[in-house]
Protein backbone atom coordinates (compact mmCIF):
# COMPACT_ATOMS: atom_id res chain seq x y z
CA UNK A 1 0.00 0.00 0.00
CA UNK A 2 2.84 2.40 0.88
CA UNK A 3 6.18 2.44 -0.92
CA UNK A 4 8.91 4.87 0.13
CA UNK A 5 12.12 4.72 -1.88
CA UNK A 6 15.16 6.77 -0.83
CA UNK A 7 12.94 9.65 0.25
CA UNK A 8 14.98 12.64 1.38
CA UNK A 9 14.30 16.31 2.06
CA UNK A 10 16.75 19.18 1.86
CA UNK A 11 16.35 22.91 2.40
CA UNK A 12 19.27 24.75 0.90
CA UNK A 13 22.38 23.24 2.48
CA UNK A 14 20.42 21.71 5.35
CA UNK A 15 19.27 18.09 5.32
CA UNK A 16 15.87 17.77 6.99
CA UNK A 17 15.45 14.07 6.24
CA UNK A 18 18.18 11.63 5.25
CA UNK A 19 17.27 9.05 2.58
CA UNK A 20 14.86 6.45 3.96
CA UNK A 21 13.10 3.47 2.35
CA UNK A 22 10.35 1.13 3.52
CA UNK A 23 7.09 -0.51 2.49
CA UNK A 24 3.86 -0.90 4.44
CA UNK A 25 1.31 -3.45 3.14
CA UNK A 26 -2.39 -3.27 3.94
CA UNK A 27 -3.16 -4.07 7.56
CA UNK A 28 0.39 -3.51 8.78
CA UNK A 29 1.76 -0.95 11.25
CA UNK A 30 5.01 0.96 10.93
CA UNK A 31 6.33 3.08 13.79
CA UNK A 32 8.69 5.97 13.11
CA UNK A 33 11.05 6.61 16.03
CA UNK A 34 13.96 8.96 16.55
CA UNK A 35 15.19 11.98 18.47
CA UNK A 36 13.79 15.45 17.92
CA UNK A 37 15.12 16.82 14.64
CA UNK A 38 15.65 13.40 13.09
CA UNK A 39 12.99 14.13 10.45
CA UNK A 40 9.92 12.24 11.70
CA UNK A 41 7.43 15.03 11.03
CA UNK A 42 9.15 15.82 7.73
CA UNK A 43 8.80 12.20 6.62
CA UNK A 44 5.11 12.12 7.58
CA UNK A 45 4.52 15.36 5.66
CA UNK A 46 5.97 13.64 2.59
CA UNK A 47 3.72 10.63 3.16
CA UNK A 48 0.68 12.89 3.48
CA UNK A 49 1.53 14.59 0.19
CA UNK A 50 2.02 17.98 1.84
CA UNK A 51 5.78 18.23 1.29
CA UNK A 52 7.39 16.99 -1.92
CA UNK A 53 10.64 15.09 -1.33
CA UNK A 54 13.87 16.52 -2.67
CA UNK A 55 14.84 13.05 -3.83
CA UNK A 56 13.37 9.58 -4.06
CA UNK A 57 9.65 8.90 -4.23
CA UNK A 58 6.59 8.18 -2.08
CA UNK A 59 3.72 6.10 -3.47
CA UNK A 60 0.39 5.19 -1.91
CA UNK A 61 -1.43 2.45 -3.80
CA UNK A 62 0.95 3.26 -6.70
CA UNK A 63 -0.15 6.94 -6.70
CA UNK A 64 2.54 9.59 -6.06
CA UNK A 65 1.89 11.35 -2.75
CA UNK A 66 0.23 14.67 -3.54
CA UNK A 67 -2.44 16.20 -1.32
CA UNK A 68 -3.65 18.25 -4.29
CA UNK A 69 -4.90 15.09 -6.05
CA UNK A 70 -8.32 13.92 -4.87
CA UNK A 71 -7.62 10.27 -5.76
CA UNK A 72 -4.68 10.38 -3.35
CA UNK A 73 -6.62 12.23 -0.63
CA UNK A 74 -9.34 9.59 -0.83
CA UNK A 75 -6.81 6.94 0.19
CA UNK A 76 -5.05 8.67 3.05
CA UNK A 77 -6.13 10.35 6.28
CA UNK A 78 -3.60 12.15 8.46
CA UNK A 79 -3.30 13.96 11.76
CA UNK A 80 -0.07 15.96 11.71
CA UNK A 81 -0.94 18.46 14.40
CA UNK A 82 -3.99 20.41 15.49
CA UNK A 83 -6.35 20.96 12.54
CA UNK A 84 -8.01 24.37 12.16
CA UNK A 85 -11.32 24.50 14.03
CA UNK A 86 -13.98 27.18 14.02
CA UNK A 87 -14.82 28.65 17.41
CA UNK A 88 -18.50 28.69 16.33
CA UNK A 89 -18.83 24.94 15.70
CA UNK A 90 -19.11 22.23 18.34
CA UNK A 91 -16.93 19.15 18.31
CA UNK A 92 -19.71 17.08 16.80
CA UNK A 93 -20.42 19.69 14.12
CA UNK A 94 -16.75 19.66 13.12
CA UNK A 95 -16.68 15.88 12.89
CA UNK A 96 -19.93 15.72 10.94
CA UNK A 97 -18.60 18.30 8.49
CA UNK A 98 -15.53 16.14 7.84
CA UNK A 99 -17.53 12.93 7.59
CA UNK A 100 -20.11 14.44 5.25
CA UNK A 101 -17.29 15.38 2.88
CA UNK A 102 -16.34 11.73 2.41
CA UNK A 103 -19.30 9.41 2.98
CA UNK A 104 -21.93 8.81 0.28
CA UNK A 105 -24.85 9.50 2.62
CA UNK A 106 -25.53 11.63 5.66
CA UNK A 107 -26.62 8.51 7.56
CA UNK A 108 -23.19 6.92 6.99
CA UNK A 109 -21.48 10.13 8.07
CA UNK A 110 -23.49 10.44 11.28
CA UNK A 111 -22.92 6.77 12.08
CA UNK A 112 -19.17 7.21 11.66
CA UNK A 113 -19.14 10.23 13.99
CA UNK A 114 -21.08 8.32 16.64
CA UNK A 115 -18.74 5.34 16.35
CA UNK A 116 -15.47 7.25 16.60
CA UNK A 117 -16.73 9.37 19.49
CA UNK A 118 -17.53 6.15 21.31
CA UNK A 119 -14.17 4.58 20.49
CA UNK A 120 -12.26 7.62 21.76
CA UNK A 121 -14.53 8.15 24.76
CA UNK A 122 -15.44 11.73 23.87
CA UNK A 123 -19.25 11.42 23.81
CA UNK A 124 -19.54 13.72 26.83
CA UNK A 125 -17.78 16.63 25.14
CA UNK A 126 -19.19 16.56 21.61
CA UNK A 127 -21.47 19.54 22.28
CA UNK A 128 -18.61 21.69 23.53
CA UNK A 129 -16.80 24.32 21.48
CA UNK A 130 -13.04 24.12 20.82
CA UNK A 131 -12.27 26.82 23.37
CA UNK A 132 -13.92 24.76 26.10
CA UNK A 133 -11.65 21.72 25.71
CA UNK A 134 -8.71 20.70 27.84
CA UNK A 135 -5.39 19.94 26.11
CA UNK A 136 -6.03 16.20 26.19
CA UNK A 137 -9.61 16.57 24.96
CA UNK A 138 -8.44 18.79 22.11
CA UNK A 139 -5.91 16.13 21.10
CA UNK A 140 -8.58 13.42 21.00
CA UNK A 141 -10.79 15.64 18.87
CA UNK A 142 -7.90 16.28 16.48
CA UNK A 143 -7.39 12.54 16.13
CA UNK A 144 -11.12 12.06 15.60
CA UNK A 145 -11.03 14.32 12.52
CA UNK A 146 -8.67 11.82 10.86
CA UNK A 147 -10.37 8.68 12.16
CA UNK A 148 -13.94 9.73 11.32
CA UNK A 149 -13.48 9.52 7.56
CA UNK A 150 -12.89 6.39 5.46
CA UNK A 151 -9.27 5.72 4.48
CA UNK A 152 -6.96 2.92 3.53
CA UNK A 153 -3.88 4.60 4.98
CA UNK A 154 -3.59 6.43 8.30
CA UNK A 155 -0.64 8.72 9.10
CA UNK A 156 -0.31 10.10 12.63
CA UNK A 157 2.36 12.35 14.13
CA UNK A 158 2.83 11.80 17.88
CA UNK A 159 -0.84 10.92 18.50
CA UNK A 160 -0.07 10.32 22.18
CA UNK A 161 0.73 14.01 22.69
CA UNK A 162 -1.03 15.42 25.80
CA UNK A 163 -2.80 12.12 26.54
CA UNK A 164 -2.61 10.33 29.88
CA UNK A 165 -1.66 6.66 30.15
CA UNK A 166 -5.27 5.44 30.05
CA UNK A 167 -6.02 7.40 26.89
CA UNK A 168 -2.80 6.22 25.22
CA UNK A 169 -3.83 2.61 25.86
CA UNK A 170 -7.30 3.32 24.48
CA UNK A 171 -5.81 4.94 21.39
CA UNK A 172 -3.61 1.91 20.83
CA UNK A 173 -6.66 -0.33 20.85
CA UNK A 174 -8.45 1.93 18.35
CA UNK A 175 -5.48 1.90 15.97
CA UNK A 176 -5.02 -1.86 16.26
CA UNK A 177 -8.67 -2.32 15.23
CA UNK A 178 -8.03 -0.15 12.19
CA UNK A 179 -5.06 -2.27 11.21
CA UNK A 180 -7.04 -5.49 11.61
CA UNK A 181 -9.65 -4.00 9.27
CA UNK A 182 -6.94 -3.62 6.60
CA UNK A 183 -5.74 -0.05 7.10
CA UNK A 184 -2.01 0.60 6.69
CA UNK A 185 -0.71 2.67 9.62
CA UNK A 186 2.35 4.90 9.89
CA UNK A 187 2.78 6.44 13.34
CA UNK A 188 5.58 8.69 14.57
CA UNK A 189 5.83 8.39 18.33
CA UNK A 190 8.05 8.94 21.35
CA UNK A 191 5.80 6.79 23.54
CA UNK A 192 7.17 3.44 24.67
CA UNK A 193 3.68 2.48 25.84
CA UNK A 194 2.09 3.14 22.44
CA UNK A 195 4.98 1.41 20.68
CA UNK A 196 4.46 -1.68 22.85
CA UNK A 197 0.68 -1.68 22.35
CA UNK A 198 0.85 -1.31 18.58
CA UNK A 199 3.76 -3.63 17.91
CA UNK A 200 4.62 -3.70 14.23
CA UNK A 201 7.88 -2.77 12.54
CA UNK A 202 10.03 0.19 13.56
CA UNK A 203 12.03 2.59 11.43
CA UNK A 204 14.49 4.52 13.56
CA UNK A 205 15.57 7.87 12.14
CA UNK A 206 19.02 8.89 13.31
CA UNK A 207 22.06 10.79 12.07
CA UNK A 208 22.98 7.47 10.50
CA UNK A 209 19.67 5.86 9.50
CA UNK A 210 19.02 2.22 10.17
CA UNK A 211 15.85 0.16 9.75
CA UNK A 212 14.95 -2.33 12.48
Amino acid sequence: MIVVEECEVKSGEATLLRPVSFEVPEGEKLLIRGANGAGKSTLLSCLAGILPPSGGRVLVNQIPANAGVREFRTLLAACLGTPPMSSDLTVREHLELVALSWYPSSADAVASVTQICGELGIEAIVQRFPGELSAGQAQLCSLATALVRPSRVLVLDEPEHRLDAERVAMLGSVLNRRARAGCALVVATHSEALTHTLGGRIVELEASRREL
Side-chain angles (χ1 to χ4, degrees):
M1 179 55 69
I2 300 171
V3 176
V4 175
E5 295 180 344
E6 294 299 308
C7 175
E8 65 176 331
V9 178
K10 296 183 178 182
S11 178
E13 297 298 318
T15 298
L16 304 182
L17 175 67
R18 293 181 179 273
V20 59
S21 300
F22 55 81
E23 297 184 5
V24 187
E26 290 183 350
E28 291 204 8
K29 297 162 285 187
L30 186 76
L31 304 181
I32 307 297
R33 301 291 302 267
N36 290 334
K40 300 185 301 297
S41 295
T42 299
L43 173 58
L44 265 58
S45 292
C46 292
L47 280 170
I50 299 170
L51 178 66
S54 304
R57 63 176 186 164
V58 177
L59 303 176
V60 175
N61 200 31
Q62 302 183 5
I63 300 172
N66 185 341
V69 176
R70 180 173 176 81
E71 185 180 6
F72 172 81
R73 295 200 311 274
T74 300
L75 292 168
L76 184 143
C79 183
L80 306 183
T82 303
M85 299 184 77
S86 170
S87 60
D88 297 324
L89 296 178
T90 66
V91 169
R92 187 171 188 94
E93 288 168 340
H94 275 100
L95 296 178
E96 288 181 352
L97 183 62
V98 172
L100 285 166
S101 300
W102 292 103
Y103 280 98
S105 73
S106 58
D108 290 337
V110 169
S112 180
V113 171
T114 299
Q115 177 180 339
I116 195 59
C117 288
E119 286 186 298
L120 293 178
I122 58 174
E123 303 102 320
I125 64 170
V126 294
Q127 298 306 324
R128 294 185 189 178
F129 294 94
E132 300 174 325
L133 303 176
S134 70
Q137 290 169 343
Q139 175 67 2
L140 289 172
C141 292
S142 295
L143 292 167
T145 62
L147 294 166
V148 76
R149 50 153 294 190
S151 66
R152 296 176 64 187
V153 174
L154 189 58
V155 175
L156 304 175
D157 192 3
E158 297 185 20
E160 75 280 1
H161 184 54
R162 300 181 295 189
L163 299 183
D164 59 28
E166 181 180 355
R167 295 297 189 182
V168 170
M170 176 193 64
L171 174 63
S173 296
V174 171
L175 297 182
N176 278 328
R177 285 195 293 272
R178 290 299 175 99
R180 288 195 295 270
C183 190
L185 270 62
V186 179
V187 180
T189 181
H190 287 289
S191 170
E192 295 294 342
L194 185 60
T195 298
H196 177 74
T197 299
L198 290 178
R201 292 183 297 125
I202 297 174
V203 166
E204 189 86 22
L205 298 184
E206 298 178 345
S208 177
R209 178 186 61 81
R210 61 191 176 91
E211 181 172 343
L212 301 181

